[in-house]
């Protein structure tokens, strides 16, 4: 009818009588009780125009100011004199003036504006308690008691009543809700340890909606916790205009246990979310708190069909269609009903083990000429799977998971790797289909022949998650309580007699030449015997101190009871009288005895004296 009247209106062409329009509104709409206006209510005026006013302000703006009327200006397209238009807006002008390219831009903007107006609407003046309470707007029963939603109570803050027999109802209210929250729009009752619970939807709380959980104390109902559309917005990082006025909590339904923990679960509808397409949220029941604070699943209408509107207008979830032992949830949308089938929920536990029980030290060698990689252990990953739900018949309960294994997880550079030819392959990513009670996989782990640290154990860490891609054979959902990580520490072989693990190096050496003949290019030879009588010795070396007239040219093993290699550095730090020779890195094993021959060259430029001194030190 309003559109018809507007269509009949004659266009005034080039004139923009904005001030006259305001004057008309003040006289005929605001404060006009016959037109439905509430003189006490706070008022807002929205001016949408594509031109600046062509008439002048007589006193309309002043009258608006006096009556505290909030004024929003929406300028459409090119406006020649915007200054004139700005004068019409109320303070703070910067947030009350909007400019859009064309009238299409109104769609998103009006939502934003509606929020602002909600904010001031009813903020003062009127005070209705039960006059408009709409008691019985929603209802739920629990044995002999009836819970009635009364959305209009307390200036549309809304509350509920518990009615038993003919007694006057006991109030159930959340004092933290604002006016116009519409609490009691939807209601669900439940019990926990024989204590009565009420979930109540307040779809207009803070414009995005809220569900409050009430618990019955001895003679009183108390609001325990709530979940709000505002919270969800943060969790999902949605655009404000998307979730605002989603009417979260407009519908509520207790659904039969979905995840097999024997606790009832809760579905919450937000039928205006996503630009009126709608969504529902599943909250799993929780023994301690009634429900878990974070939803386990959000099902958006857009993920089902682009055509759906107002998905979540009604929800029911107690039946099992097809008798497969799995609950089905019926969800109403504009002109249609959808049946959502639930899937089996499975718990997975994973265990890591390895063989042999330690990394043998026999093959490590940092001093040999060839560098190669060899297998150190076989790592075994075993998944065990149990279904939490009780699915029957032809339901396939497989699950596709993606797993990632990490070698030497606490170190920046890994000592171990999974592909023999690739030293950097410290992590292994794979996808596996778990379709029986146990599924085990073996992975060979390699190390390079030279590993400096063969003392600290190697940590392997595994984590897995349900794959995004689920083939037909896997239909299950991973229980969100399943632990999705595992780790294991693999030790190196230890050759210690006692706990403290101390090596006992004994060093001896003798000169092969009885005298040193100072002739250029002549040699002076020593034999060095090193015996480890204690536990394994790591990073062992022999340091030689000698006169600067000598230079070490050869240092090699000539006798051994276990293969022993050595490698000598250049003269240490430029010092002319000292060389460090590494012995059998990384480990000089217990009970090893080796004899080395050192050959020095003699320089005749050195100022030799009658005697010569040499000192050798074994260190670890
Ligand atoms: Ca449950
Ligand atoms: Ca079913």
């Amino acid at each position: 009818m309003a559109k018809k009247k507007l269509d009949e209106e004659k266009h005034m062409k080039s004139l923009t009588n904005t001030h006259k329009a305001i004057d008309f509104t003040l006289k005929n709409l605001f404060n006009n009780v016959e037109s439905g206006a509430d003189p006490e209510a706070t008022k807002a005026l929205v001016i949408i125009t594509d031109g600046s006013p062509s008439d002048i302000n007589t006193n309309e703006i002043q009258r608006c100011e006096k009556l505290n009327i909030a004024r929003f200006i929406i300028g459409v397209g090119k406006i020649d004199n915007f200054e004139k238009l700005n004068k019409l807006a109320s303070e703070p002008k910067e947030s009350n003036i909007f400019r859009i390219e064309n009238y299409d831009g109104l769609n998103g903007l009006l939502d934003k504006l509606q929020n602002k107006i909600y904010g001031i609407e009813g903020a003062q003046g009127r005070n209705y308690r039960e006059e408009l309470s709409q008691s019985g707007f929603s209802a739920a029963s629990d044995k002999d008691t009836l819970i009635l939603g009364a959305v209009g109570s307390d200036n549309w803050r809304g509350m509920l009543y518990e009615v038993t027999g003919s007694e006057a109802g006991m109030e159930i209210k959340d004092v933290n809700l604002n006016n116009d929250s519409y609490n009691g729009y939807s209601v669900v009752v439940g019990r926990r340890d024989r204590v009565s619970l009420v979930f109540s939807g307040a779809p207009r709380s803070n414009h995005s909606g809220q569900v409050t959980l009430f618990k019955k104390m001895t003679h009183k109902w108390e609001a325990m916790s709530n979940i709000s559309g505002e919270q969800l917005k943060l969790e999902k990082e949605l655009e404000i205009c998307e979730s605002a006025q989603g009417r979260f909590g407009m519908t509520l339904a207790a659904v039969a246990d979905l995840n097999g923990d024997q606790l009832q679960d809760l579905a919450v509808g937000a039928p205006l979310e996503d630009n009126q397409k709608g969504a529902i949220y599943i909250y799993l029941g929780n023994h301690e708190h009634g429900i878990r604070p974070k939803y386990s699943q959000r099902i958006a209408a857009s993920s089902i069909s682009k055509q759906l509107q107002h998905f979540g207008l009604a929800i029911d979830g107690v039946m099992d269609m097809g008798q497969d032992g799995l609950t089905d949830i019926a969800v109403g949308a504009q002109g249609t009903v959808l049946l959502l089938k639930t899937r089996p929920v499975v718990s997975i536990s994973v265990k890591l083990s390895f063989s042999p029980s330690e990394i043998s030290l026999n093959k490590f060698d940092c001093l040999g000429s060839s560098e190669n990689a060899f297998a150190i252990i076989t790592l075994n990953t075993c998944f065990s799977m149990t279904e939490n739900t009780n699915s029957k018949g032809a339901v396939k309960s497989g699950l596709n998971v993606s797993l990632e294994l990490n070698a030497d997880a606490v170190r920046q550079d890994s000592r171990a790797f999974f592909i023999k030819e690739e030293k950097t392959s410290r992590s292994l990513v794979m996808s596996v289909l778990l379709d029986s009670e146990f599924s085990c996989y073996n992975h060979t782990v390699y190390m390079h022949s030279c590993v400096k640290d063969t003392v600290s154990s190697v940590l392997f860490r595994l984590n897995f998650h349900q794959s995004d891609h689920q083939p037909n054979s896997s239909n299950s959902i991973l229980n969100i309580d399943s632990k999705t990580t595992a780790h294991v520490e693999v030790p190196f072989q230890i050759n210690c007699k006692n706990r403290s693990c101390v090596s006992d190096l004994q060093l001896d050496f003798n000169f092969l030449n009885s005298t040193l003949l100072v002739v250029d290019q002549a040699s002076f030879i020593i034999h060095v015997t090193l015996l480890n009588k204690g536990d394994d010795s790591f990073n062992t070396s022999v340091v030689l101190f000698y006169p600067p007239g000598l230079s070490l040219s050869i240092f090699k093993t000539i006798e051994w009871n276990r293969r022993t290699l050595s490698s000598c550095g250049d003269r240490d730090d430029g010092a002319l009288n000292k060389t460090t020779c590494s012995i059998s890195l990384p480990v000089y094993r217990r009970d090893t005895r080796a004899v080395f021959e050192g050959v020095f060259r003699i320089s005749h430029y050195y100022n030799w004296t009658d005697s010569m001194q040499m000192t050798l030190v074994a260190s670890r």
Side-chain angles (χ1 to χ4, degrees), residues 226-460:
N226 64 65
I227 40 174
S228 68
E230 205 60 34
Q231 233 168 290
L232 301 171
K233 206 163 66 192
L234 295 174
E235 282 167 15
K236 288 182 294 168
E237 289 170 22
L238 284 179
E239 291 283 310
I240 286 179
C241 56
E242 236 188 293
S243 182
Q245 297 149 39
R247 302 284 193 264
F248 177 81
M250 194 162 145
T251 47
L252 282 176
V255 289
D257 182 22
L258 299 174
N259 59 336
D261 60 2
Q262 314 298 325
L263 296 171
Q264 269 202 342
D265 303 313
L266 184 75
V268 182
L272 302 196
E273 206 174 278
D274 271 357
N275 223 347
Q276 320 250 331
K277 290 188 178 71
I280 67 164
Y281 292 82
I282 305 293
Y283 286 85
L284 294 178
N286 173 281
H287 194 70
E288 201 177 329
H289 304 289
I291 53 166
R292 302 190 190 209
K294 193 179 180 333
Y295 63 87
S296 67
Q297 198 181 358
R298 170 180 183 257
I299 304 164
S302 55
S303 70
I304 302 170
S305 157
K306 284 199 169 64
Q307 273 78 47
L308 285 177
Q309 284 273 308
H310 301 164
F311 175 72
L313 267 180
I315 311 174
D316 184 85
V318 290
M319 62 202 155
D320 171 15
M321 303 290 282
Q323 272 91 50
D324 57 3
L326 301 169
T327 309
D328 300 282
I329 302 178
V331 182
Q334 186 90 56
T336 180
V337 177
L338 289 102
L339 187 70
L340 306 180
K341 293 173 76 174
T342 62
R343 288 152 61 174
V345 175
V346 292
S347 287
I348 305 278
S349 67
V350 63
K351 219 183 142 210
L352 286 174
S353 59
F354 55 94
S355 69
S357 61
E358 56 184 16
I359 304 169
S360 162
L361 294 178
N362 288 337
K363 288 187 182 167
F364 291 105
D365 173 15
C366 289
L367 303 173
S369 51
S370 64
E371 293 198 337
N372 50 12
F374 55 89
I376 50 158
I377 51 157
T378 300
L379 195 64
N380 181 259
T381 306
C382 263
F383 291 95
S384 65
M385 179 168 75
T386 47
E387 189 188 331
N388 300 95
T389 42
N390 288 310
S391 66
K392 300 181 281 203
V395 179
K396 289 180 181 133
S397 57
L399 183 73
N400 213 28
V401 300
S402 299
L403 67 95
E404 184 177 352
L405 258 171
N406 249 295
D408 223 0
V410 289
R411 295 199 173 209
Q412 194 169 3
D413 297 307
S414 173
R415 290 167 291 176
F417 42 97
F418 292 101
I419 301 167
K420 196 175 179 185
E421 295 75 29
E422 279 178 51
K423 233 184 118 178
T424 52
S425 56
R426 74 177 307 173
S427 67
L428 183 78
V429 179
M430 60 191 276
S431 218
V432 291
L433 175 66
L434 311 178
D435 55 1
S436 55
E437 198 180 345
F438 297 103
S439 312
C440 297
Y441 307 90
N442 280 336
H443 324 280
T444 307
V445 183
Y446 301 89
M447 269 193 188
H448 204 253
S449 55
C450 179
V451 167
K452 294 269 158 58
D453 178 1
T454 50
V455 180
S456 351
S457 52
V458 185
L459 180 77
F460 289 88

Side-chain angles (χ1 to χ4, degrees), residues 121 380 560:
E121 186 188 36
N380 181 259
W560 59 85

Side-chain angles (χ1 to χ4, degrees), residues 98-117:
F98 305 90
R99 295 191 70 164
I100 51 177
E101 287 287 304
N102 49 47
Y103 282 99
D104 292 340
L106 280 177
N107 279 338
L109 185 60
L110 285 177
D111 271 351
K112 237 191 207 171
L113 202 58
Q114 210 175 350
N115 261 338
K116 282 181 179 258
I117 296 172

